[in-house]
Amino acid sequence: MPLYKVTVKMTGFRNGVRLEKGMQVDVITDSDAQHPFHFMGGQLIVDAFRRIYGIDMKKANAITSSVIDVKRVQ
């Protein structure tokens, strides 16, 4: 099961949601073929940010490579 580090690239407000550069969560997917952006529309990323920071990345329209960086760790 691959582990990914998801990091916010820039500070700012998006649809009333405050994002800080460097906010980071870990996401684990079920298989090598499932990148966190594409698996269930990025829901794993949304859930992780809600759990850790209490923010809604979907409301912020931030599930995009221009806002967050996804790096595979394992």
Side-chain angles (χ1 to χ4, degrees), residues 36-37 39-48 50 58 63:
F37 271 136
F39 183 68
M40 295 174 24
Q43 192 61 44
L44 294 173
I45 297 170
V46 172
D47 293 343
R50 183 174 290 128
K58 194 164 277 203
I63 305 301

Side-chain angles (χ1 to χ4, degrees), residues 47-62:
D47 293 343
F49 273 94
R50 183 174 290 128
R51 186 174 52 253
I52 302 299
Y53 296 105
I55 61 172
D56 188 348
M57 294 294 278
K58 194 164 277 203
K59 178 183 175 189
N61 198 23

Side-chain angles (χ1 to χ4, degrees), residues 1-4 27-37 39 44:
M1 292 176 33
L3 171 67
Y4 294 89
V27 175
I28 298 172
T29 59
D30 292 335
S31 74
D32 289 336
Q34 296 174 339
H35 191 276
F37 271 136
F39 183 68
L44 294 173

Side-chain angles (χ1 to χ4, degrees), residues 8 10-12 14 17-21 23 55 57 62 67:
V8 174
M10 63 187 124
T11 298
R14 296 179 61 89
V17 178
R18 176 80 176 167
L19 300 176
E20 290 288 336
K21 181 178 181 177
M23 289 174 126
I55 61 172
M57 294 294 278
V67 178

